[in-house]
Amino acid sequence: MLDTVFFYLFTLLTLGGAILTVATRNAVHSALFLITSLLGVAGLYLLLHAEFLFAVQIIVYVGGIMVLFLFVIMLVNLDAAAAQRQFSRMWPVALGCVALVGLELFYFLGKGEPAFRIAAPPPVPEPTAGNTERIADVLFSQYLLPFEIASLLLLVAVIGSVVMAKKRI
Amino acid sequence: MLDSFIPSWAELLRFMPEIILSLVGSLLVMLEPVTGPKSKSMLGHVAIAGLIVALGATFVAHANPGAAFSSMIVVDGFATFFRVIVFTVGILTIFSSYQYLDREGSNRGEYYALILFSVVGQSVMVVANELIMIFIGLEISSIATYVLAGFLRDDKRNNESAIKYFLLGSFATGFLLYGIALIYGATGTTDLGEVRQAVLQSAEPPVLLLSVAAGLMFIGLGFKVSGAPFQMWTPDVYQGAPTPVTAFMSAGPKAAAFAIFLRIFVTVFESVGDRWEPLIWASALASMTIGNFAALQQKNFKRLLAYSSIAHAGYVLVALTARSEIGTASAMFYLAAYALMNMGAFAVIAHVAGKGETTVDVSDFAGLGAKQPVTAALLTIFMLSLIGVPLTGGFFGKFYIFKAALESKLLWLAILGLLNSAVAAYYYLRVLVVMYMEEPSARTENLEPMPMSLQAALWLPAAGVLFLGIFPSAVLEFASASARLLGQ
């Protein structure tokens, strides 16, 4: 019961924040509402017992990326942008897309849970350790290679951004 | 428990080419500040040496095939074949880059490092046996290529090319990721082997959900291989990027993207093949038609080859539509031949382009046959191979593809494809006519002699194209054997 209450609370936070992000005129307000939305998602993770994702969501998105967004917004002069028309003339197209996705969603909801799954869900082992420990185990054993390769991805991104952005090389 | 996850020597050996290239790439970045401005080409030599060692390591790895790292990667004939393609493309790109970068005054170590990292990404894609690995490999390859496309930062067209490639490429990756998420949601795994088993064994597969997933992945990969209707970015990006990078983009990342296309669609989604076949059928036909007919009107040689590259993606999609072993093998053969002939053609453009790429129109090539007969002869080989004239690799590539299409009862697709290649002959031959029959242009009149490095970038692919055209059986047999193993 309490779970359901929290679920709707977090959903409201997520969706409401997302709508206000695109609907407000002031860019700083938009960023703040986006933070609200991301916090709502973090809450949903917590409800799913994914404590690790919950912490990562808050530290990386809310703490890191959004602070960066706010910095950029404050550094760039957006007064001119605020005076421009806010909604694109293409909104009927967007409405059509949203309607399509909504239709798809209702179709699958109508078919029920089996429509989403073809293999039996993998057996969930008795939780001998918390969620975070189990993620660490998988990350450093089975998924060791993707985890290490991701560091190469970051290296390429760093070198690339320096090459593109440095004043004089 | 821990011991079982420490990689054994055999596992490391299977991943050795990528390890070597990552190390050499990092080494280049560290060497860059300590080399003088005159000796940057030395860094390029190091990169080529690294790629050659990696090529050797590929064959060592192939001698000992199998899965590694909890079956995150799998070394099989298919992976080896594409590894050889992407490493060769890397070597040829660097050969054709020396003179170009010197001329533009931006011969820097980061360029060579980014090429190596991009090649590592493509190599990870082709050996990956897991959707997450595929995604990470694709991102490494793409991000390095976005930067390379805009490497000459003061050039406006470079900027346009990089920003277009970056925006549309990121968008496309998003679609691929949605597809991966749906597959994970449906099967509870991202391992390609397990996904395939789950699809095969389920008594009543939710075809609609799988079709949506396959469709989303098709959008993502379609962008990467510039297949219609996701080809819009290709002409602008190819035209704007530095010519050696254009050559690289049209060969390496495209071959790797087709490799994962084949691995995912022909093996994993094989059992729901009749669902996605019409989609790829339509895309193949549209790519061929749009590419060839748009190329007819191009004056700029790079833009012409960009549209031709869309058309060639269409031919490979025909091979995919065939959904057979011979289809897979012919796609592999075609990609190898296409990589070689395209690298060669772009190397000639890089030579003629001049500082700031001011002379890249087809008319600027007028009189090349009289002024530099050897260069013109080599370009002729590449053009004939792109048309698909016998004795060149392009001929057998097209031949096997349409043979595969006919064997899979795709009569109309094969007929329309053949008509398309007849149309294509017109614009390739026009280049030859201009080159041999017209008076020399201002550019060819005082064309500097071709440096050694660029000669290597021309002779090697020319030799490869002729080898594939005269002795196709060795390569084709290897491709067929790999395709047979892939389907199991």
Side-chain angles (χ1 to χ4, degrees):
Chain A
M1 179 58 206
L2 205 59
D3 270 10
T4 321
V5 172
F6 273 112
F7 173 76
Y8 282 108
L9 194 68
F10 287 133
T11 317
L12 196 69
L13 219 56
T14 310
L15 292 179
I19 290 170
L20 285 173
T21 303
V22 288
T24 45
R25 254 180 195 284
N26 189 319
V28 178
H29 292 172
S30 285
L32 291 175
F33 281 122
L34 188 54
I35 292 182
T36 325
S37 179
L38 292 173
L39 280 174
V41 175
L44 291 176
Y45 284 144
L46 199 59
L47 280 184
L48 290 168
H49 301 286
E51 294 90 357
F52 182 72
L53 277 181
F54 165 74
V56 166
Q57 174 82 4
I58 289 185
I59 294 171
V60 174
Y61 281 90
V62 182
I65 293 178
M66 284 317 296
V67 170
L68 197 70
F69 270 28
L70 281 175
F71 264 113
V72 173
I73 290 170
M74 287 171 182
L75 286 175
V76 178
N77 185 11
L78 287 169
D79 292 343
Q84 281 169 358
R85 96 183 249 135
Q86 198 185 4
F87 291 102
S88 161
R89 272 187 212 92
M90 301 288 277
W91 66 268
V93 180
L95 189 70
C97 290
V98 171
L100 203 70
V101 173
L103 213 68
E104 187 188 73
L105 206 65
F106 277 108
Y107 175 81
F108 280 118
L109 279 180
K111 289 198 81 171
E113 203 232 12
F116 292 96
R117 184 166 283 140
I118 52 178
V124 180
E126 274 303 296
T128 50
N131 170 273
T132 313
E133 284 95 326
R134 273 189 285 159
I135 285 186
D137 275 347
V138 177
L139 207 55
F140 286 98
S141 56
Q142 195 190 350
Y143 287 93
L144 181 66
L145 191 62
F147 183 65
E148 295 288 342
I149 291 282
S151 65
L152 196 65
L153 180 63
L154 295 178
L155 179 68
V156 173
V158 169
I159 295 175
S161 51
V162 171
V163 166
M164 295 305 271
K166 196 168 177 296
K167 265 213 181 72
R168 219 177 56 80
I169 301 181
Chain B
M1 174 182 158
L2 201 61
D3 283 348
S4 61
F5 290 113
I6 293 174
S8 67
W9 176 241
E11 282 184 304
L12 283 175
L13 215 54
R14 284 175 198 143
F15 200 58
M16 199 49 90
E18 287 81 7
I19 297 177
I20 292 170
L21 287 180
S22 309
L23 288 178
V24 176
S26 314
L27 181 75
L28 285 178
V29 180
M30 283 190 281
L31 283 178
E32 154 70 21
V34 298
T35 44
K38 293 279 172 225
S39 49
K40 295 296 185 199
S41 295
M42 194 272 288
L43 299 173
H45 303 332
V46 174
I48 289 185
L51 282 163
I52 291 173
V53 175
L55 212 51
T58 303
F59 292 112
V60 174
H62 183 63
N64 183 12
F69 296 100
S70 326
S71 96
M72 287 289 140
I73 63 162
V74 59
V75 175
D76 49 14
F78 184 79
T80 304
F81 191 90
F82 277 103
R83 262 181 175 170
V84 172
I85 293 182
V86 296
F87 293 164
T88 313
V89 166
I91 293 173
L92 293 176
T93 308
I94 294 176
F95 270 131
S96 61
S97 299
Y98 290 124
Q99 187 212 20
Y100 186 91
L101 292 176
D102 275 335
R103 197 167 58 202
E104 303 291 342
S106 44
N107 198 348
R108 297 203 305 266
E110 291 91 357
Y111 179 88
Y112 304 110
L114 284 169
I115 295 260
L116 284 193
F117 287 135
S118 185
V119 169
V120 173
Q122 290 147 28
S123 181
V124 167
M125 281 156 81
V126 304
V127 294
N129 189 33
E130 221 265 346
L131 291 167
I132 293 174
M133 283 294 284
I134 287 178
F135 173 70
I136 294 178
L138 186 69
E139 276 298 273
I140 296 176
S141 159
S142 304
I143 289 180
T145 321
Y146 302 147
V147 179
L148 285 170
F151 197 74
L152 310 174
R153 296 180 309 170
D154 302 325
D155 187 304
K156 272 188 188 156
R157 281 167 307 172
N158 266 239
N159 286 328
E160 181 199 353
S161 165
I163 197 79
K164 277 192 177 159
Y165 196 30
F166 171 63
L167 287 179
L168 289 174
S170 326
F171 201 55
T173 316
F175 279 101
L176 183 74
L177 209 49
Y178 281 130
I180 292 177
L182 282 184
I183 292 174
Y184 179 70
T187 59
T189 173
T190 49
D191 184 292
L192 289 181
E194 287 172 22
V195 173
R196 178 181 152 87
Q197 286 305 318
V199 176
L200 275 178
Q201 284 170 358
S202 71
E204 206 178 325
V207 179
L208 194 62
L209 186 65
L210 283 176
S211 309
V212 174
L216 287 170
M217 295 187 99
F218 171 72
I219 294 176
L221 293 174
F223 260 105
K224 298 286 169 189
V225 301
S226 59
F230 312 110
Q231 87 295 357
M232 291 84 71
W233 58 275
T234 318
D236 288 344
V237 171
Y238 279 21
Q239 187 187 0
T243 306
V245 176
T246 310
F248 180 69
M249 285 195 290
S250 71
K254 194 175 249 190
F258 265 119
I260 54 178
F261 213 130
L262 285 166
R263 231 192 240 284
I264 293 175
F265 276 78
V266 179
T267 66
V268 176
F269 287 152
E270 193 207 4
S271 48
V272 285
D274 47 346
R275 286 273 170 163
W276 53 259
E277 194 190 286
L279 192 73
I280 305 212
W281 191 97
S283 172
L285 184 60
S287 308
M288 289 189 294
T289 316
I290 292 174
N292 282 325
F293 280 91
L296 285 177
Q297 293 152 20
Q298 300 308 317
K299 292 194 171 60
N300 182 301
F301 202 174
K302 277 170 90 179
R303 231 179 146 73
L304 185 147
L305 282 184
Y307 279 112
S308 113
S309 127
I310 297 170
H312 285 277
Y315 300 133
V316 182
L317 286 172
V318 170
L320 260 71
T321 318
R323 290 199 290 135
S324 60
E325 265 169 38
I326 172 170
T328 307
S330 64
M332 292 164 74
F333 186 91
Y334 197 82
L335 285 167
Y338 177 71
L340 289 173
M341 55 209 189
N342 228 28
M343 294 299 299
F346 274 114
V348 178
I349 299 183
H351 178 53
V352 178
K355 185 167 166 56
E357 297 205 4
T358 42
T359 50
V360 282
D361 281 352
V362 174
S363 55
D364 290 316
F365 284 70
L368 190 67
K371 293 291 165 187
Q372 289 201 355
V374 180
T375 314
L378 291 172
L379 184 59
T380 308
I381 293 179
F382 300 130
M383 287 293 131
L384 292 179
S385 181
L386 284 165
I387 299 174
V389 168
L391 291 185
T392 61
F395 168 73
F396 280 107
K398 279 211 178 80
F399 175 74
Y400 291 131
I401 282 180
F402 291 123
K403 192 170 151 221
L406 285 179
E407 282 185 12
S408 298
K409 309 256 187 310
L410 298 167
L411 184 63
W412 277 106
L413 194 58
I415 291 174
L416 292 170
L418 281 171
L419 287 177
N420 249 300
S421 23
V423 172
Y426 172 75
Y427 59 82
Y428 292 127
L429 286 176
R430 200 186 57 184
V431 174
L432 299 186
V433 169
V434 169
M435 196 164 68
Y436 280 107
M437 304 202 175
E438 286 184 12
E439 289 300 308
S441 68
R443 174 62 185 153
T444 44
E445 200 60 78
N446 39 34
L447 195 62
E448 57 268 25
M450 190 174 267
M452 278 299 283
S453 55
L454 209 49
Q455 292 207 3
L458 276 180
W459 282 105
L460 290 176
V465 165
L466 290 178
F467 177 80
L468 288 179
I470 300 170
F471 308 106
S473 53
V475 177
L476 192 75
E477 266 165 32
F478 186 85
S480 309
S482 323
R484 202 169 310 128
L485 282 177
L486 193 67
Q488 283 167 3

